[in-house]
Amino acid sequence: MAMECNQNQNALHIVMFPWLAHGHIMPYFELSKFLAQKGHKISFVSTPKNLNRLTNLIPQNLAHHITLVSLPLPHVDGLPQGAESTSELPIDKVPFLKKANDRLQLGITQFLEDSNDVNWIIHDFACHWLSQAVSHMRIKLVGFTVFNATTFSFLGSPSDILGGTCRQRPEDYTVVPSWMEFIPSNGIAYKLHEITNHWNCMDPEVSDLQRWAMVVEGCHAVIIRSCPEFEPHTLNLLRKLYQKTVIPIGLLPPHLGDDNSQGDERWESLKRWLDNKEENSVVYIALGTELSLSQELMHELAHGLEKSGLPFFWVVNDRPLVEGVFGVDIIPPGFETRVSGRGMVWRGWVPQLRVLAHRSVGGFLTHCGWSSIIEALGLGRALILFPGGSSDQGLNARLLHGQKIGLEIPRDDKTGSFTSDSVAESIRRVMVDREGELLRENARGMKEIFGNVELQNKYLTEFAEFLVKKSSNGTE
C-alpha cells in the first residue's frame, strides 16, 4: 500500500471539511483513508476536540498522507462553552453550532490560501458559503452528503428550495412530493413530530435545506453514501433534480478491526454475557448519540422490552433530559432487577459493530441513523425501526419499512408517543414470530450489498478516478 502511495504520479491534495457531528466526521474519515491509500494528500479540517478523537485512528502506513488541520471554533452567544459537536448539545442549541461553524470561513480560507496546492475540497451541507469563499482560487468542490439518495430526492431540487416555490411549513413535509410518487416504496415522508423536532435544530436565518441547495449549486459534483444496487430509482431521480454529476461512493461500511475495544475490560465482560445467550436471540437497543427521549417515553420503552420476554442489551446514554439536568430515574425503578439475567442495561460507549457482529444478536432496535443501518445490514441483522426526530431518520424508517427490510414501531404522528405493548409486539414480530420471517430473510439478504466490501470499494475507486480525471483535464 505504501509503495502505491509513493509512486502515484497523479497525487492530489484533497481537503475534507465535514459538519461538526460524529455521524458526519466518521464517514468523511473513512473516505479520507481510502483516498490516502490511493496516494493522495489529505488535509482533514475540523475543530480540536473532534480531531482529538481521530488522532489514534489514522493507520500507521497512512500517517504521512493524512494531516489533521485544527481550527478553533469561534465563540457564538448561546453556544455552551466547550461544545464542538452536536452530541454535546440539546437539539435547540444546534443552531448556534451552525452559526459558529459559519465563522470557520476565515480560518479555512486562510489555510487554503497558505497551502496554495489544494485541488479539491470535499465538504458538507453546513458551509453554504464555501464556493463563494474560494471563487478566486483554482479549487474544485464536491458536496458530500453522508445520507442516502432517497432522503435528498425527497427534499427536492435546489432551484425549488432557493426559489421559495417549495414547501414552507413543517406540515408540507408530511406528504409524499409529486416527483416521488412513482418511486417504489413511495410512502416516504416525515411524521409531523419528526420534522417539527428537526425544525428546532435549524438556523432560522439559513435553513439546512437552503445550505445544502447552495452547496449543490456551487459544487462540481455531489457524492452520495449509497449504491445503485440499493437505490437505483432515487439515484437517477437525484441526477434529474440536481442537473449535476451525482456519484454514489458506496456505503463506506466500517471494519471490525477499526475499533480499540479488543482487550478492553468492559467489552470482555459484555462479551461473556453475550456468549451465554443463544444464537440470534438477543435484541440490541441503541438510539444513537444524540436522541433524548423524555423520562416517560424511556419508561414506556423499558416496559416494552420487559413485556417482549426476549433477551436484550440496551445502551443508555447519559444525555440530559433538560439542559444541565441528568435523569436519575431515566430507567424505571426496579427494572434492572426484574430483567436480571435476561436483559442488560449498559451506560456509556459500546463497540457497536462488535455487538452487532456477535452470534447471539439477532435484531437491532435502532434510531435509524444511516450509519447504524449500514452496520446492521452489513451483518444481516433484522431491524426494529424507532426513528429519532431529526435529519434523515424518519425517512430511513419509511424506506426500510416499505421495502420490508425492517418493521417500524407505531407512534403517534403528531406527538411521537407510543405504547409499551406496541414495542413488545414489534420486537417479537421481528425476532421470533412466524409472520416476521420475511423481514428476517430480507435483512439477511442485504449482506450481499451492505456487507460486500469489494462492491463498495468499486464505487470508491471510481470516485477516486473521477477526481484525477477532472483535475487533469480541468473540465466540469
Side-chain angles (χ1 to χ4, degrees):
M1 191 69 69
M3 186 177 296
E4 177 190 354
C5 293
N6 292 333
Q7 293 182 352
N8 189 342
Q9 300 300 310
N10 295 311
L12 305 171
H13 184 181
I14 303 167
V15 171
M16 310 293 288
F17 190 31
W19 164 233
L20 304 174
H22 181 77
H24 291 240
I25 290 169
M26 294 314 296
Y28 270 71
F29 188 63
E30 288 299 314
L31 177 57
S32 297
K33 289 191 295 183
F34 186 88
L35 294 173
Q37 287 171 357
K38 295 294 183 183
H40 302 300
K41 174 184 175 183
I42 305 297
S43 293
F44 198 100
V45 180
S46 194
T47 60
K49 285 174 71 175
N50 288 310
L51 293 181
N52 284 343
R53 300 186 183 102
L54 301 180
T55 303
N56 296 327
L57 300 180
I58 301 175
Q60 191 171 0
N61 67 311
L62 300 179
H64 59 299
H65 283 275
I66 300 176
T67 301
L68 302 181
V69 179
S70 181
L71 297 180
L73 189 66
H75 174 71
V76 167
D77 288 341
L79 183 66
Q81 193 70 31
E84 294 184 15
S85 72
T86 55
S87 63
E88 300 172 289
L89 297 169
I91 196 165
D92 63 314
K93 296 293 185 183
V94 173
F96 299 107
L97 187 65
K98 289 170 183 168
K99 290 181 184 297
N101 186 82
D102 289 342
R103 295 188 184 181
L104 291 174
Q105 178 176 346
L106 182 62
I108 192 169
T109 303
Q110 188 65 56
F111 166 75
L112 295 170
E113 289 175 343
D114 291 346
S115 298
N116 200 34
D117 67 344
V118 175
N119 304 101
W120 291 91
I121 306 174
I122 299 176
H123 64 105
D124 219 324
F125 79 95
C127 50
H128 59 294
W129 37 263
L130 191 56
S131 63
Q132 187 65 35
V134 303
S135 59
H136 64 290
M137 307 180 202
R138 295 174 60 85
I139 298 175
K140 293 184 173 67
L141 303 180
V142 172
F144 175 22
T145 165
V146 300
F147 303 146
N148 56 44
T150 297
T151 293
F152 282 95
S153 293
F154 175 86
L155 297 177
S157 71
S159 58
D160 281 346
I161 294 169
L162 296 174
T165 59
C166 211
R167 299 157 286 185
Q168 301 296 317
R169 308 170 304 143
E171 291 82 0
D172 298 334
Y173 291 84
T174 62
V175 294
V176 180
S178 58
W179 56 86
M180 290 189 74
E181 288 177 352
F182 302 103
I183 298 294
S185 303
N186 65 2
I188 294 168
Y190 284 105
K191 293 182 178 179
L192 185 59
H193 75 93
E194 295 166 346
I195 189 63
T196 301
N197 198 44
H198 186 71
W199 221 255
N200 293 331
C201 82
M202 291 201 292
D203 179 356
E205 295 177 16
V206 191
S207 74
D208 291 358
L209 303 181
Q210 291 169 322
R211 287 171 182 269
W212 177 245
M214 293 167 73
V215 165
V216 173
E217 289 202 335
C219 70
H220 292 77
V222 172
I223 56 176
I224 301 285
R225 191 185 182 188
S226 188
C227 63
E229 286 77 9
F230 180 65
E231 295 185 292
H233 301 288
T234 46
L235 274 168
N236 288 332
L237 174 59
L238 203 56
R239 293 184 178 105
K240 294 177 183 176
L241 290 170
Y242 285 1
Q243 293 293 298
K244 187 151 295 200
T245 301
V246 175
I247 303 171
I249 58 164
L251 296 159
L252 299 174
H255 307 289
L256 272 173
D258 288 348
D259 70 62
N260 299 316
S261 60
Q262 287 285 55
D264 178 77
E265 288 184 16
R266 293 196 82 205
W267 162 244
E268 292 303 325
S269 68
L270 167 57
K271 184 178 181 299
R272 285 193 294 272
W273 186 85
L274 291 171
D275 286 345
N276 288 325
K277 298 292 181 280
E278 294 182 9
E279 187 171 358
N280 294 324
S281 68
V282 176
V283 185
Y284 170 52
I285 305 99
L287 302 181
T289 57
E290 298 176 19
L291 174 61
S292 290
L293 291 176
S294 68
Q295 181 169 301
E296 178 186 358
L297 293 183
M298 282 291 282
H299 285 202
E300 201 70 27
L301 179 58
H303 294 316
L305 296 173
E306 189 173 357
K307 289 178 181 179
S308 75
L310 298 177
F312 65 86
F313 173 67
W314 185 10
V315 178
V316 176
N317 291 315
D318 289 329
R319 282 177 62 81
L321 293 170
V322 181
E323 186 183 1
V325 179
F326 285 85
V328 178
D329 297 322
I330 194 71
I331 301 298
F335 172 78
E336 291 179 76
T337 302
R338 293 195 302 274
V339 300
S340 179
R342 174 168 69 87
M344 177 183 281
V345 177
W346 185 272
R347 290 168 176 81
W349 182 83
V350 69
Q352 177 162 288
L353 197 60
R354 290 200 178 277
V355 174
L356 287 168
H358 196 281
R359 61 166 189 81
S360 69
V361 174
F364 182 20
L365 195 157
T366 173
H367 70 303
C368 300
W370 189 227
S371 290
S372 289
I373 289 168
I374 288 169
E375 291 180 12
L377 292 181
L379 294 161
R381 300 305 184 219
L383 298 175
I384 303 109
L385 307 168
F386 186 79
S390 67
S391 62
D392 62 329
Q393 295 160 13
L395 301 180
N396 290 339
R398 310 295 110 73
L399 174 64
L400 297 171
H401 184 93
Q403 293 185 346
K404 294 183 171 55
I405 298 172
L407 181 70
E408 187 171 359
I409 295 174
R411 298 177 70 177
D412 184 272
D413 286 3
K414 292 183 179 179
T415 67
S417 62
F418 57 92
T419 67
S420 57
D421 287 339
S422 67
V423 171
E425 290 166 9
S426 299
I427 290 174
R428 290 197 60 83
R429 181 174 172 186
V430 170
M431 291 292 294
V432 295
D433 287 354
R434 193 172 169 185
E435 62 180 331
E437 180 52 42
L438 178 61
L439 293 174
R440 296 191 288 273
E441 184 180 328
N442 288 343
R444 288 192 295 268
M446 284 294 105
K447 286 178 66 174
E448 297 179 12
I449 298 174
F450 285 73
N452 188 333
V453 175
E454 184 178 342
L455 173 68
Q456 304 308 324
N457 283 348
K458 177 176 81 77
Y459 292 112
L460 284 170
T461 300
E462 290 172 357
F463 172 59
E465 291 170 350
F466 167 86
L467 294 179
V468 171
K469 179 181 178 183
K470 294 301 179 184
S471 293
S472 62
N473 64 23
T475 60
E476 292 282 325

